[in-house]
Amino acid sequence: MSQPREIAPGATYMITRRVLRRHLLFRPDAAITQLMIYALAVSARRYGLQVHALCAMSTHLHLIVTDETGVLPRFLQFFHRLVALGTKVLRAWEGPVWDHEAPSVVRLLTRAAVVEKIAYVLANPVAAGLVRHAREWPGAKVDVDELGRGVLVAARPSVYLDPENPKWPEEMTLPLSLPPAIERDNAEGFRQEVAAEIERQEAQAHAEMQQRGRRFLGADRASKISPYERATSFEALRERYPTFAVGREQGDACRMAGAAVRAFRASYRAALERWRAGVRSVVFPAGTWWMRTFHGVSVTDVVSAIQLSAARPDPGWARPDPGWAGARPDTGW
């Protein structure tokens, strides 16, 4: 049985999904970039999500979003389907596009986590040895200067989407918003923090590349490589997938968030056991999504500890965040 996940309105997430067998189907050419931005803009508008950052790598996709109304599963289903079907047409690809594993969904509970993960997303092409600086990546992405104020624009792709259907406008715009953890009067300071973290991660990647005697591939070659090839760099399998990130040196926040996750799961399973036994009056914990959506169960309106921890001021926001503990390293493309 998979672990139940709390879906809370207003939560900010880092989402990652990978291409089947690490094929380079999302090679950063103009057509795939147009598809990515258009599909994301349509999906975000349809489900009311706020988009903060993205980076489409050749073998996987990173997003940082805030789910204002608690409909993240619906958004992911719609968005990933659009991307997959459009990619199949663009690449003349038979079979699945996405890896068989579920998307990685990591909830960002503190300002430190937001800064760290946005920097991680934007610097991902550098960490993968593709370009020397994040701004050089030619694929669908957000630059640090666009955080909270940029607008991505894409015309309707010429493939798959019916131009006569009114739900596919001729052009879509995607405003980039600030995460809820960031005060609007401190937006410039936030961008400076992200830029500093990107610079740190780039320097680390440069040192690792030099130590291994490797050279960066370059934006031009990354854009022209065959999309049917596969990434060949080492990638560990079956490592842990986290559900939240809080930041480095924030042990109290981490312990509280971990305890809240365990409490939610225990409460959910206890309610599910009673429901399976025929007790239809059972009340599930706040954040229950599947059972509420498909079976109409009652859900408590009590806010969980993990929601409270996300709302509290983060006294250690200036300290760097190690990322998600135990996550699979993001190697290759």
Side-chain angles (χ1 to χ4, degrees), residues 6 8-9 107 260 264 285-287 299-312:
E6 179 182 359
R107 186 166 173 187
F264 171 80
V299 175
T300 180
D301 58 0
V302 176
V303 179
S304 73
I306 196 168
Q307 290 171 270
L308 290 174
S309 68
R312 289 194 181 99

Side-chain angles (χ1 to χ4, degrees), residues 14-285:
M14 173 174 174
I15 299 163
T16 303
R17 194 162 192 189
R18 298 173 182 273
V19 172
L20 182 71
R21 299 191 185 93
R22 304 177 73 200
H23 285 281
L24 309 180
L25 292 180
F26 295 162
R27 178 191 69 186
D29 53 45
I32 207 73
T33 297
Q34 178 187 16
L35 171 66
M36 289 284 184
I37 294 176
Y38 186 91
L40 180 59
V42 168
S43 305
R45 178 179 296 181
R46 181 185 180 100
Y47 291 101
L49 268 75
Q50 297 295 316
V51 177
H52 312 305
L54 76 148
C55 183
M57 300 286 285
S58 297
T59 63
H60 60 281
L61 176 64
H62 289 304
L63 288 174
I64 306 284
V65 301
T66 293
D67 177 17
E68 293 191 319
T69 57
V71 293
L72 184 69
R74 292 292 196 198
F75 163 79
L76 292 178
Q77 179 187 40
F78 186 82
F79 171 59
H80 287 156
R81 182 173 183 271
L82 273 185
V83 171
L85 293 175
T87 300
K88 286 165 72 74
V89 177
L90 283 174
R91 303 300 193 214
W93 180 257
E94 296 290 339
V97 168
W98 297 111
D99 185 271
H100 297 309
E101 295 188 17
S104 169
V105 179
V106 181
R107 186 166 173 187
L108 309 183
L109 293 175
T110 66
R111 178 180 176 129
V114 170
V115 170
E116 172 74 15
K117 296 312 174 195
I118 288 181
Y120 171 84
V121 166
L122 303 191
N124 203 227
V126 183
L130 301 176
V131 292
R132 289 191 60 83
H133 299 285
R135 62 180 179 273
E136 298 170 0
W137 181 242
K141 71 178 188 304
V142 171
D143 290 326
V144 66
D145 290 339
E146 297 176 308
L147 294 173
R149 61 185 178 188
V151 178
L152 302 181
V153 181
R156 182 182 57 240
S158 60
V159 300
Y160 178 64
L161 303 176
D162 181 4
E164 302 300 323
N165 191 326
K167 73 177 182 179
W168 310 125
E170 185 176 346
E171 183 179 86
M172 287 296 299
T173 59
L174 177 61
L176 300 171
S177 61
L178 286 173
I182 309 303
E183 303 83 3
R184 291 193 176 275
D185 59 357
N186 194 29
E188 190 56 39
F190 164 65
R191 284 186 282 270
Q192 291 174 3
E193 292 169 45
V194 175
E197 178 61 22
I198 290 174
E199 186 176 350
R200 187 193 70 81
Q201 293 188 25
E202 288 180 341
Q204 181 179 347
H206 295 167
E208 291 176 356
M209 292 288 285
Q210 185 175 12
Q211 184 178 12
R212 297 174 185 175
R214 294 178 53 196
R215 300 177 61 183
F216 288 93
L217 183 68
D220 187 60
R221 291 180 61 190
S223 301
K224 295 178 180 178
I225 196 166
S226 170
Y228 308 109
E229 292 189 21
R230 296 169 59 184
T232 58
S233 57
F234 173 77
E235 185 174 50
L237 299 176
R238 297 183 178 87
E239 293 199 5
R240 292 179 298 164
Y241 285 90
T243 58
F244 63 86
V246 294
R248 252 196 313 262
E249 300 178 14
Q250 299 189 52
D252 290 343
C254 185
R255 284 187 290 272
M256 183 167 62
V261 169
R262 291 189 292 272
F264 171 80
R265 291 172 177 174
S267 178
Y268 182 96
R269 291 198 178 101
L272 182 61
E273 184 175 347
R274 294 188 64 198
W275 188 85
R276 286 173 170 171
V279 183
R280 293 298 186 259
S281 61
V282 64
V283 179
F284 281 72

